[in-house]
Amino acid sequence: LPDDFALFELVGTAGQSFGAFLGKGVSLRLTGGANDYVGKGLSGGSIAVKKSPSFDGRPNENVIAGNACLYGATSGEAFISGVVGERFAVRNSGASTVAEGCGDHGCEYMTGGTTVVLGRTGRNFASGMSGGVAFVFDADGSFEANCNPSMVALERVMSHEEQVRTSDPRTWHMGCTDEELLRRLITRHQLFTDSTLAAELLEHWSSTRARFVKVIPLQYRAVLQSRA
């Protein structure tokens, strides 16, 4: 984090709207869990939520935060080491966020930003999604059945070298290749949450990348392509 960020380390269970509308320059690090609306309206701040040391389960198999996390976020970042509830990153318009699984209606009406899910999603993922990009780790090939295809396309995540060789940089999301962006967010997720899942994915990156699915809205892809 930049030197001018104020860092707050918290322990326990947060109530509703933890870090809501958090502004630039403030970083919240929670060890424990949280209820609904983590990072609602996030506006430039940084949030990380990780399990308590006393919890011995696997975070990617257990819920650590409630529904509507990152609802209406506009900027900033949030890393949640565990599964979140329904409507994750709904109406996200500019924030970057990582979670290790989510419930139904993830990325619904998302208009910008980047969402990474390192595990299973619920049904109706990307319904009404018109902007931004999501990356989903599809370990068992079940994701396509849970995605709403009405406004999005599903693509493979190309290697950095392949994307540099075959595409115009003006068509890249956030101005960098998909592999570069995805790996950077997973690295930050591991750094701020001590996620063992993220560490495993990074350790076996050559095979990990091939199992991610890129979700990109058709309208947004057309806009990027028109730049070239």
Side-chain angles (χ1 to χ4, degrees):
L1 288 169
D3 292 337
D4 59 350
F5 263 66
L7 175 63
F8 296 90
E9 299 276 2
L10 307 166
V11 178
T13 302
Q16 301 279 56
S17 301
F18 175 71
F21 308 107
L22 190 68
K24 185 177 181 181
V26 183
S27 175
L28 302 181
R29 300 286 180 257
L30 172 64
T31 300
N35 289 318
D36 299 340
Y37 290 107
V38 172
K40 176 179 68 176
L42 183 68
S43 302
S46 177
I47 297 173
V49 182
K50 65 179 181 179
K51 71 180 184 67
S52 168
S54 63
F55 178 73
D56 58 4
R58 290 180 60 85
N60 63 311
E61 296 174 354
N62 292 274
V63 174
I64 194 172
N67 297 322
C69 296
L70 278 291
Y71 183 95
T74 62
S75 58
E77 60 182 12
F79 304 99
I80 304 173
S81 184
V83 180
V84 298
E86 296 185 358
R87 292 189 158 85
F88 176 50
V90 167
R91 298 191 185 280
N92 177 23
S93 63
S96 297
T97 182
V98 181
E100 300 187 5
C102 71
D104 296 342
H105 315 295
C107 296
E108 187 177 38
Y109 304 121
M110 181 169 154
T111 62
T114 309
T115 298
V116 179
V117 183
L118 303 181
R120 290 178 175 271
T121 73
R123 63 184 179 85
N124 202 37
F125 191 91
S127 174
M129 181 180 176
S130 60
V133 165
F135 298 99
V136 179
F137 185 64
D138 190 18
D140 58 5
S142 63
F143 173 65
E144 186 173 0
N146 286 328
C147 185
N148 186 324
S150 60
M151 294 180 62
V152 299
L154 304 184
E155 301 177 351
R156 65 185 181 91
V157 177
M158 291 189 286
S159 69
H160 172 79
E161 293 75 16
E162 181 183 2
Q163 192 168 355
V164 168
R165 186 176 66 252
T166 62
S167 63
D168 189 311
R170 288 172 293 183
T171 66
W172 299 350
H173 175 61
M174 303 296 291
C176 54
T177 66
D178 294 335
E179 180 179 21
E180 182 183 16
L181 176 60
L182 177 59
R183 190 167 187 172
R184 182 171 72 233
L185 288 174
I186 297 174
T187 299
R188 291 180 70 77
H189 180 71
Q190 196 280 326
L191 175 66
F192 294 137
T193 68
D194 300 317
S195 168
T196 55
L197 174 59
E200 291 170 3
L201 295 177
L202 291 169
E203 183 179 359
H204 305 285
W205 184 252
S206 58
S207 59
T208 293
R209 176 184 56 79
R211 297 165 73 181
F212 270 96
V213 176
K214 175 185 177 181
V215 183
I216 182 167
L218 300 174
Q219 293 179 350
Y220 180 51
R221 185 172 66 179
V223 169
L224 291 176
Q225 290 173 345
S226 72
R227 294 179 179 176

